[in-house]
Amino acid sequence: MPKTDTHKPAAPPSAEERGRTALAVGVVEKIAGMAAREVSGIHALGSGLSRTFGAMRDRVPGGKSSVGRGIKAEVGEKQTAIDIALIVEYGVVIPKLAAEVRANIIAAVERMTGLEVVEVNIAVNDVHLPDEPDADEEEESMAGSGQRPRVQ
């Protein structure tokens, strides 16, 4: 009886086995920031202090606005964890908004990066009232009126 060769040639390694992909923390933070902004009911990301510093940084010639402002991420080889600070619009149901933000961030980050999102922690730092000016608007009105801040 003739022998049959049962040994199959080895398949070439897949593309994933031929190198590594490293994602910077800023990449995950930007994706999460964009995904959070897509949810209706969010007034701004970040705390009041981070928004104030960010507004000043945005005004510096050559400065770039930070889409990831108010977001901190930890990025491993296969997983990521995200913390986000929000200011919500008055009248929104905060637990429902938080669930929508969390789901949108998880979907966007996992789809775009391939990382597993193990947690998204949300801190609601303030509620924006309809008649309240933004921190950016307050700075502009003071600069335009020639007044200087009362407190330095």
Side-chain angles (χ1 to χ4, degrees), residues 123-136:
V124 178
N125 289 337
D126 200 359
V127 175
H128 181 261
L129 302 175
D131 57 347
E132 232 177 20
D134 286 344
D136 297 345

Side-chain angles (χ1 to χ4, degrees), residues 46-89:
S47 65
L49 184 61
S50 72
R51 288 176 44 232
T52 300
F53 283 126
M56 289 189 301
R57 188 174 42 245
D58 294 347
R59 290 188 180 145
V60 173
K64 298 177 185 173
S65 84
S66 175
V67 175
R69 184 181 307 144
I71 299 174
K72 295 289 180 203
E74 293 178 37
V75 179
E77 288 184 28
K78 297 179 182 182
Q79 297 178 325
T80 185
I82 300 166
D83 297 325
I84 180 169
L86 302 176
I87 297 173
V88 300
E89 295 288 348

